[in-house]
Amino acid sequence: MFQAIHETVEYIKKKTDHFKPEIGIILGTGLGDLVGEIEVAYSLMYPNIPNFPISTLEFHSGKLIFGTLNGKKVVAMQGRLHYYEGYSMQQITFPVRVMKALGISYLFVSNAAGSLNPDFKKGDLMVINDHINLQLESPLRGHNDADMGPRFPDMSEPYNRKLIADALSIAAAEGITCHQGVYVSVTGPNLETKAEYKYLRIIGGDAVGMSTVPEVIVANHMKLPVFAVSVLTDEGFPEILHPFSLEDILETARVAEPKMTKILSQLIATL
Ligand code: HPA
């Protein structure tokens, strides 16, 4: 893996005139608009980047974008990779390794998730303060490269506490409803049954989604501080569960997105 990372980083450095990002950003389903705030310097298509997995979802555009956001140099993944697409955990998290090797000191992640907490409504935001990995596989399984991180990485604070506090202050100042809570990752691609939503709530989840946790585990392995936020696009409340509609989820993400973009871009400015 070390060799693959090296090869990819060399290609990217050459194509971006050695642009050195400070912050890495992974944008979730229907949440690519933050890119509109970036003063883009370079944009690379995933299929052109050596060793990069290619996003298979047509609503993910699959670009690695380099530029400036509120005065900070960023690299943003527009289009993330999901376990359900058939990639290995190592493939999904490869871009995080690459962004770290390019020099980032923070990782920001967004996703669309289903609410499990009856107080968290569709269209609200939730800053992730902890997670439960129900994908039941770690991206760190297998050989550990000690140069990247320890065999048994600590996970007592996977999401940076100061960034959480600052994000909640920004949200309050902007009058944006923003909760904090526990994200449960599942493999998908099928949605949950009523019994599963009930179970996920009982075990301590506030939101459920099909991403984020692998990237967060790898970031923690490399001691990279993480900030993650969910846009709650549907309500997994067993008593009133409606049939799932992708159009509805994307529409909710589209409407809620400006709130999230405001918080992320102001938070980045504080770093
Ligand atoms: N379950 C799993 N993943 C999701 C959901 C959900 O309800 N909503 C958005 N992503």
Side-chain angles (χ1 to χ4, degrees):
M1 173 148 65
F2 195 77
Q3 188 51 38
I5 293 169
H6 181 72
E7 187 188 4
T8 306
V9 165
E10 286 308 304
Y11 172 88
I12 292 174
K13 281 183 175 168
K14 206 162 67 199
K15 291 286 176 190
T16 61
D17 295 323
H18 291 256
F19 185 94
K20 203 165 177 306
E22 307 162 75
I23 300 159
I25 304 170
I26 303 175
L27 299 166
T29 302
L31 301 171
D33 270 10
L34 184 68
V35 169
E37 307 265 308
I38 300 175
E39 235 176 273
V40 179
Y42 305 93
S43 171
L44 307 179
M45 304 288 289
Y46 291 174
N48 296 332
I49 306 174
N51 308 314
F52 236 64
I54 299 156
S55 179
T56 62
L57 299 178
E58 70 271 20
F59 50 84
H60 285 291
S61 43
K63 272 188 244 145
L64 196 60
I65 291 158
F66 296 81
T68 311
L69 179 61
N70 263 345
K72 301 282 191 265
K73 288 169 128 181
V74 302
V75 52
M77 286 180 71
Q78 190 175 28
R80 77 132 58 78
L81 308 151
H82 299 86
Y83 190 57
Y84 61 73
E85 292 174 83
Y87 304 115
S88 70
M89 286 285 176
Q90 283 78 11
Q91 282 177 303
I92 291 170
T93 53
F94 182 75
V96 180
R97 301 267 185 212
V98 168
M99 290 193 286
K100 175 72 163 60
L102 287 170
I104 63 166
S105 9
Y106 295 93
L107 180 67
F108 282 58
V109 186
S110 71
N111 62 52
S115 174
L116 301 168
N117 183 328
D119 295 330
F120 297 2
K121 302 299 183 202
K122 178 173 144 174
D124 290 351
L125 303 180
M126 185 190 92
V127 170
I128 302 177
N129 62 18
D130 208 343
H131 71 229
I132 297 172
N133 180 11
L134 282 193
Q135 294 181 325
L136 302 181
E137 190 189 332
S138 171
L140 307 180
R141 179 169 175 266
H143 172 74
N144 184 61
D145 190 334
D147 288 338
M148 286 196 223
R151 173 76 286 189
F152 302 108
D154 176 61
M155 288 295 280
S156 59
E157 194 191 317
Y159 301 88
N160 185 268
R161 223 175 291 176
K162 179 166 188 312
L163 293 175
I164 294 172
D166 290 351
L168 293 173
S169 308
I170 292 166
E174 292 286 343
I176 295 169
T177 304
C178 185
H179 312 286
Q180 59 172 316
V182 175
Y183 177 91
V184 187
S185 66
V186 292
T187 57
N190 54 286
L191 276 291
E192 287 68 41
T193 64
K194 288 175 189 161
E196 285 166 343
Y197 279 123
K198 186 176 172 190
Y199 159 78
L200 296 173
R201 178 69 189 144
I202 289 169
I203 64 166
D206 293 297
V208 56
M210 303 173 193
S211 66
T212 302
V213 168
E215 294 99 317
V216 171
I217 290 174
V218 163
N220 274 271
H221 183 236
M222 300 185 294
K223 294 257 184 292
L224 196 54
V226 174
F227 175 78
V229 58
S230 295
V231 173
L232 302 175
T233 49
D234 56 295
E235 297 175 343
F237 306 153
E239 308 76 22
I240 55 154
L241 193 64
H242 307 292
F244 172 84
S245 148
L246 180 61
E247 291 68 36
D248 194 37
I249 285 203
L250 293 177
E251 176 60 14
T252 306
R254 193 188 64 75
V255 172
E257 179 163 23
K259 300 188 285 185
M260 189 199 71
T261 300
K262 202 175 257 181
I263 294 173
L264 283 179
S265 91
Q266 287 192 34
L267 188 58
I268 282 170
T270 68
L271 296 175

